[in-house]
Amino acid sequence: MPSSIELARGDEKLIAAIHRSRRLIGRKALMAAAASAIPLPGIDWMADAALLSRLVPQISSEFGLSVTQVEKLAPHQRERIQKAATTLGALLVGRLVTRELLMKLARHAGIRLTAKQATKYVPIAGQVVSAALGYAALRALGEQHIKDCVRVSTTLALTPPEPPAPAERLKPA
């Protein structure tokens, strides 16, 4: 399976958006790992859902495919994005992140997430394993979303927007 960089086919703006998105994923995955290390079952699921519900729109916006960005487009462009996303199986591109969509996404990482819950019952070593699985699961889900965004962008020949200025990045989302 090709990586997101390979899918970008040398497009500098897409590659820059991929790198920015991966930095976002890295920060959120560390948060997921920390939440997974807490020995209370269910806390990590809630943290993962909260992190994903914020991460997915941030990644989409790096590619110009967030809900607000898509809504600003002309109707025929919105329709093209929705058709491309549906055709490519990109569940979260240009859509509101709902509980149902998060559950579909979580099914993709189901084995890791189930193993993560089981490890909580093993003291210390289980928490380390759970944290590692939480990190890996969020990274995998984020990377899959990046690939979906790249596929939609390349299919429609969309150019990602310029990154915000450093002062704008500091504003809370």
Side-chain angles (χ1 to χ4, degrees):
M1 175 170 259
S3 72
S4 51
I5 298 288
E6 292 168 342
L7 290 171
R9 297 185 201 130
D11 183 323
E12 293 297 321
K13 288 189 176 187
L14 276 178
I15 291 171
I18 291 166
H19 289 303
R20 288 190 306 271
S21 297
R22 284 182 174 164
R23 281 193 297 277
L24 283 169
I25 291 170
R27 288 193 301 268
K28 300 291 185 186
L30 286 173
M31 293 171 154
S36 296
I38 298 171
L40 297 172
I43 294 290
D44 55 342
W45 281 89
M46 289 185 288
D48 288 349
L51 289 168
L52 278 171
S53 69
R54 289 186 189 108
L55 178 65
V56 168
Q58 288 174 326
I59 291 171
S60 295
S61 110
E62 290 293 342
F63 293 90
L65 296 169
S66 72
V67 174
T68 54
Q69 290 165 319
V70 171
E71 285 176 352
K72 291 177 184 175
L73 297 173
H76 73 280
Q77 289 175 309
R78 277 194 306 248
E79 189 176 316
R80 285 182 57 216
I81 289 172
Q82 291 300 333
K83 281 183 184 178
T86 303
T87 303
L88 296 170
L91 293 175
L92 302 174
V93 172
R95 297 198 179 133
L96 286 173
V97 180
T98 63
R99 181 181 209 147
E100 293 77 27
L101 286 174
L102 285 176
M103 292 308 291
K104 284 182 183 179
L105 194 59
R107 276 189 227 127
H108 289 294
I111 294 170
R112 279 184 228 165
L113 295 173
T114 303
K116 185 171 72 164
Q117 287 299 312
T119 61
K120 290 209 179 268
Y121 298 104
V122 179
I124 307 203
Q127 290 167 314
V128 171
V129 170
S130 182
L133 288 171
Y135 180 87
L138 197 75
R139 274 207 83 90
L141 292 171
E143 188 63 34
Q144 183 58 49
H145 185 58
I146 289 173
K147 287 179 183 179
D148 289 345
C149 288
V150 171
R151 283 187 189 109
V152 170
S153 292
T154 56
T155 299
L156 299 175
L158 297 174
T159 303
E162 291 298 321
E168 291 179 31
R169 286 188 203 158
L170 298 176
K171 292 180 185 176

